[in-house]
Amino acid sequence: MAANTTDTDTGTAPGTDPGAGATEAAIGYEQARDELIEVVRRLEAGGTTLEESLALWERGEELAKVCRHWLEGARARLDAALAEQQRPERDDR
């Protein structure tokens, strides 16, 4: 999904929330997913202080929210496209 597409309900890019912080508004799905993978890898590797682990966890939660929002936007677009295909064609003669 391209980052420049817009959510038909809100007019914002899927994965962005008009009231969200700059991180959510500026980051695409792939970037959030890749960063989340790295956060998980670092947490699983251990060797970080409690403060660092907590910061990583919080960042991971933010990134997961961004990914979830993008995926929900994609699902809504797919559902709308499927509904459009299933709608019977009208003959406006």
Side-chain angles (χ1 to χ4, degrees):
M1 176 184 301
N4 63 354
T5 60
T6 58
D7 184 334
T8 55
D9 293 339
T10 64
T12 60
T16 63
D17 179 347
T23 298
E24 287 185 36
I27 191 168
Y29 172 79
E30 289 82 5
Q31 183 180 352
R33 181 202 58 213
D34 291 347
E35 189 178 339
L36 180 57
I37 290 168
E38 179 61 20
V39 165
V40 170
R41 186 196 64 73
R42 289 182 60 195
L43 284 169
E44 288 177 341
T48 56
T49 66
L50 177 60
E51 292 81 12
E52 291 169 334
S53 295
L54 183 56
L56 285 169
W57 179 269
E58 290 171 343
R59 180 63 180 156
E61 289 290 329
E62 291 174 14
L63 293 165
K65 182 178 176 183
V66 170
C67 288
R68 189 169 36 254
H69 196 79
W70 273 103
L71 292 171
E72 288 168 357
R75 170 53 65 194
R77 290 179 64 199
L78 287 171
D79 289 345
L82 289 172
E84 182 68 27
Q85 285 181 347
Q86 293 174 354
R87 187 179 329 164
E89 291 185 30
R90 289 182 33 187
D91 187 10
D92 292 333
R93 287 189 226 182

